[in-house]
Amino acid sequence: MSLSEHFQISKRAIRHLFTLSRSYAACLILNAFLKSLMPYVPIYFSARLIDGLYEKQPLQTLALYAGLTVGIVFLLSLASAYLSSRRDIARNDLNLSEEWAFSRKAMEMAYASIENPEVTLLRKRIAMESQTGYNLWYLMSSTEMLVFSVTRILASLSMTLSFLFLEGIPLFMKLGFVGGILLTVLCGAYASRKSEAIFSHFLDTAVHLNVFYGKYYDYFGHYSSGKDIRLYDMTKGLLDFNVGTMTEFHRHSLEMCRKQAALKAADAALSHVLKFCVYLILLYAALSGQITVGSIARYMSCVMLLLTAASEAVANIQRAIVNHTYLKRYFSYLDIPNPMYRGSLTVEKRDDNEYFVEFRDVSFRYPNTESYALRHVNLKFKIGEKLAIVGRNGSGKTTFIKLMCRLYDPTEGTILLNGVDIRKYDYDEYMSIFSIVFQDFRLFGFRLGENVAAGSSYDPQRAAHCLEQAGFGERLAAMPEGTDTFLYKEFDKTGIEISGGEAQKIALARALYKDAPFLILDEPTSALDPVSEYEVYSSFNEIAGDKTTIYISHRLASCRFCDKIAVFDSGGIVQTGSHGTLISDEGGIYHALWHAQAQYYTEEAGKP
């Protein structure tokens, strides 16, 4: 990384810190400045006090020195305590701001990035590195310690420079004094750089181990895994995996610690040799009458503080430089672009409700893949119609829905709403016209009503009505808290467990609650029992109302409720028409799929 890059990252990092919490950053810097000055007050006045005693100065003068020492330190301590408390309070705001920044980024980035495994791995890696201290914590600690160290270096130099101008001290001693300090700082810089490099190498080596262990911990730490672990006797295999992972981790950790200990020992030895030499030089100066007794204490204390501060400054600069590599990755996540064109047109509201959606020669392939998921798809349907999409697994049905909802944009071709390319509509407004239940929907450990409304505030009566429409009414009536009942036990120990079929009904209720013009159901009855499935089919028209309904299913019996059926195969539409039209085409895929399912149920029904 070039010097210019390091400078740019430093500038952005400090700006980012102030953006997250201006109060925290200000308190951090001011408190570090005040704390760094505290030792110099007693050092300065103690030297004056010792010289005053030696010179037999008046008691009032000596008392003044003592009073100033205690008073100034007391005031600095009060100010530091206040700033520390304000900083600790602001730290919570900073943590919340950072969490929100990453959460907002995840919600605002293009869906293609969400599905990209490299982006997922990047975020997990950043999270693990942040737990180790890199990124934000090292940024804060390095900023604080650099302010602290630089202030002490300047204060120490200001109180020791007079030593270099004493006439009775030989030049070689002065040069040795300065050279020893520089040598100690340079050796400390080398040791710090090597130590940080060793630690960074350890972290890079441990990335895959941390990922594996994180997955392992998430699995065995969740109560829902308990059934599988016991029923399939997974205990030994999981424990062996954990032991093997941790053994390898500790082997790398031990190797790192040994190397770092050797570097620290050499650095500490050199530092103590220099301190001894400084004592000898000061003793020589005192014996030759060049400095007072108080000056010996002042010079010695300041030199010790100078060496410590210089070592800390170098170590923090090195740590900050190493942290820049992690911050670069940290900011790379926040900088992931969203290439989706946002549009500006308002979705037209028509009194005659005459809307048309058209796929015009649409082809699509997912990012970083060569094969097409859809190829030359052409389809037009009227708003208000009920469209069924059927086909074998992997034929492109769900991809078709993702394109229509603008989770992705077509690789080729155009999707039109009322003759206008959907990319020209305001993105958020266009997304708002869809209520969708995907196969991989997600429910959260919140209240039932919050899951239905997809928000913290909701209308309980409306939520209950949607749940009843979705076939969840009987279970809802048995819940003492009604729509305020928590799902699962992540956040409330009284939370209820629900079956896959019940979860599917809640997801359907969520789509109904949104009350959008488009209702899209991707395998909405796959987890339902036959009775519940029949109830959904029977009330299908009532549930859908005048909405445009797109129904994806492997169970072709559901297609009889739809106005039009589109049959997908190998990424293209091979048949369209009503159920009656398609079933009469004996050479078509729909006919083959229908009779394959009918034969299965006939055989099952004929068994004794």
Side-chain angles (χ1 to χ4, degrees):
M1 194 181 298
S2 67
L3 184 62
S4 175
E5 285 181 292
H6 281 297
F7 177 75
Q8 292 300 324
I9 290 176
S10 295
K11 187 169 67 172
R12 180 174 181 180
I14 296 298
R15 188 168 62 245
H16 181 65
L17 188 61
F18 274 90
T19 300
L20 291 176
S21 177
R22 187 177 298 274
S23 175
Y24 179 88
C27 290
L28 181 83
I29 293 172
L30 288 174
N31 188 45
F33 177 74
L34 290 181
K35 287 175 67 176
S36 67
L37 291 178
M38 283 187 195
Y40 295 95
V41 176
I43 288 173
Y44 176 79
F45 285 109
S46 294
R48 298 292 298 270
L49 187 60
I50 293 171
D51 287 340
L53 287 170
Y54 184 78
E55 297 169 0
K56 297 182 180 181
Q57 293 182 2
L59 179 62
Q60 294 88 340
T61 303
L62 299 177
L64 177 63
Y65 292 152
L68 287 173
T69 301
V70 174
I72 295 174
V73 171
F74 175 69
L75 292 176
L76 290 175
S77 298
L78 282 180
S80 177
Y82 173 76
L83 290 171
S84 293
S85 64
R86 296 298 303 172
R87 180 197 61 193
D88 292 341
I89 293 171
R91 176 67 183 269
N92 293 327
D93 293 335
L94 181 138
N95 290 335
L96 289 174
S97 295
E98 188 194 26
E99 287 291 334
W100 174 241
F102 271 79
S103 299
R104 182 175 58 189
K105 181 62 182 180
M107 290 184 285
E108 292 179 350
M109 69 172 57
Y111 186 75
S113 298
I114 294 294
E115 284 200 325
N116 187 342
E118 293 182 1
V119 174
T120 302
L121 181 61
L122 174 63
R123 176 159 183 163
K124 288 182 178 178
R125 180 168 185 177
I126 290 171
M128 287 187 293
E129 290 169 350
S130 295
Q131 290 174 357
T132 311
Y134 285 106
N135 298 322
L136 194 60
W137 190 86
Y138 273 158
L139 169 62
M140 295 185 295
S141 63
S142 295
T143 301
E144 181 179 27
M145 290 306 299
L146 280 173
V147 172
F148 184 89
S149 301
V150 170
T151 304
R152 282 201 168 179
I153 289 172
L154 295 175
S156 297
L157 288 174
S158 66
M159 295 178 69
T160 55
L161 279 177
S162 59
F163 176 81
L164 300 177
F165 297 97
L166 295 176
E167 297 180 356
I169 306 297
L171 179 61
F172 77 91
M173 285 189 176
K174 295 178 181 178
L175 294 177
F177 178 79
V178 175
I181 292 176
L182 292 177
L183 179 63
T184 303
V185 171
L186 290 175
C187 290
Y190 174 79
S192 175
R193 183 173 63 84
K194 291 290 292 183
S195 181
E196 288 295 334
I198 291 169
F199 187 46
S200 296
H201 176 71
F202 164 72
L203 289 182
D204 290 339
T205 304
V207 165
H208 72 285
L209 296 176
N210 284 324
V211 171
F212 286 154
Y213 188 74
K215 291 290 185 183
Y216 168 85
Y217 183 81
D218 289 343
Y219 180 76
F220 87 82
H222 197 275
Y223 68 89
S224 65
S225 304
K227 299 187 292 295
D228 289 333
I229 292 174
R230 287 159 178 78
L231 289 172
Y232 291 98
D233 193 20
M234 300 167 67
T235 304
K236 185 178 184 304
L238 289 172
L239 289 176
D240 288 346
F241 174 82
N242 184 40
V243 170
T245 302
M246 295 310 296
T247 299
E248 186 179 356
F249 180 86
H250 284 300
R251 180 173 62 80
H252 289 297
S253 178
L254 183 60
E255 181 183 359
M256 174 195 69
C257 291
R258 285 172 177 167
K259 292 179 179 179
Q260 286 184 324
L263 287 169
K264 289 179 180 177
D267 184 47
L270 179 64
S271 176
H272 283 80
V273 168
L274 176 65
K275 290 177 182 178
F276 178 72
C277 293
V278 170
Y279 272 115
L280 293 179
I281 293 173
L282 290 175
L283 286 173
Y284 173 84
L287 292 173
S288 63
Q290 297 298 313
I291 57 175
T292 64
V293 177
S295 296
I296 293 177
R298 176 162 62 91
Y299 286 138
M300 196 66 231
S301 298
C302 288
V303 168
M304 296 302 106
L305 288 174
L306 174 62
L307 290 175
T308 302
S311 297
E312 289 176 348
V314 169
N316 277 283
I317 290 172
Q318 294 287 354
R319 185 176 292 118
I321 289 173
V322 172
N323 193 38
H324 286 173
T325 302
Y326 296 89
L327 282 172
K328 185 176 182 180
R329 187 157 39 240
Y330 178 94
F331 289 131
S332 72
Y333 177 82
L334 298 177
D335 291 340
I336 294 174
N338 186 342
M340 299 289 287
Y341 181 68
R342 308 298 292 183
S344 58
L345 295 181
T346 301
V347 177
E348 184 182 8
K349 305 293 190 297
R350 296 182 55 139
D351 295 333
D352 58 6
N353 205 33
E354 291 290 324
Y355 295 92
F356 289 91
V357 174
E358 181 181 0
F359 277 63
R360 185 180 294 172
D361 197 28
V362 170
S363 296
F364 176 75
R365 61 185 179 194
Y366 285 97
N368 304 316
T369 61
E370 296 298 327
S371 59
Y372 280 84
L374 290 180
R375 197 68 171 152
H376 301 301
V377 172
N378 290 280
L379 180 67
K380 185 175 183 179
F381 59 95
K382 180 181 177 181
I383 302 298
E385 287 184 336
K386 294 172 176 55
L387 171 68
I389 298 176
V390 300
R392 299 182 178 91
N393 289 332
S395 59
K397 304 185 298 298
T398 300
T399 301
F400 175 85
I401 297 303
K402 289 180 178 179
L403 290 176
M404 192 173 74
C405 300
R406 280 213 73 195
L407 295 178
Y408 290 94
D409 284 333
T411 306
E412 301 168 9
T414 309
I415 303 173
L416 307 169
L417 173 63
N418 294 338
V420 177
D421 188 334
I422 62 173
R423 287 173 289 198
K424 295 183 179 180
Y425 289 112
D426 178 88
Y427 185 81
D428 294 328
E429 184 176 346
Y430 181 80
M431 293 286 281
S432 70
I433 68 176
F434 295 98
S435 288
I436 311 171
V437 181
F438 283 110
Q439 295 181 63
D440 55 350
F441 65 85
R442 179 75 180 273
L443 297 181
F444 303 94
F446 305 146
R447 292 179 176 84
L448 174 60
E450 292 172 334
N451 273 280
V452 173
S456 56
S457 60
Y458 63 94
D459 181 344
Q461 293 183 344
R462 182 180 167 192
H465 176 68
C466 292
L467 287 164
E468 289 172 1
Q469 279 188 298
F472 196 79
E474 186 175 342
R475 181 68 192 275
L476 176 64
M479 294 179 178
E481 300 296 328
T483 54
D484 285 336
T485 302
F486 275 88
L487 299 184
Y488 314 117
K489 300 182 185 298
E490 283 93 341
F491 301 111
D492 193 289
K493 63 181 180 180
T494 64
I496 63 167
E497 296 296 322
I498 56 175
S499 66
E502 289 172 332
Q504 207 161 41
K505 292 176 182 179
I506 295 172
L508 177 57
R510 176 191 291 168
L512 297 175
Y513 189 95
K514 186 178 180 182
D515 195 27
F518 283 82
L519 178 61
I520 301 175
L521 308 175
D522 190 355
E523 294 289 348
T525 62
S526 59
L528 300 183
D529 59 78
V531 175
S532 298
E533 183 180 35
Y534 175 76
E535 291 174 353
V536 171
Y537 287 160
S538 299
S539 59
F540 184 72
N541 288 328
E542 179 184 348
I543 291 175
D546 60 352
K547 296 179 175 61
T548 302
T549 308
I550 302 176
Y551 193 93
I552 304 175
S553 180
H554 287 98
R555 302 182 185 183
L556 302 189
S558 61
C559 298
R560 292 178 298 176
F561 300 95
C562 298
D563 302 313
K564 181 184 292 186
I565 301 168
V567 183
F568 278 71
D569 187 58
S570 301
I573 298 178
V574 295
Q575 289 180 286
T576 58
S578 65
H579 171 73
T581 301
L582 296 178
I583 199 68
S584 63
D585 183 2
E586 297 183 1
I589 292 177
Y590 186 84
H591 181 276
L593 292 173
W594 174 272
H595 284 281
Q597 290 187 7
Q599 182 181 12
Y600 171 77
Y601 285 111
T602 301
E603 290 175 356
E604 288 292 318
K607 287 183 179 180

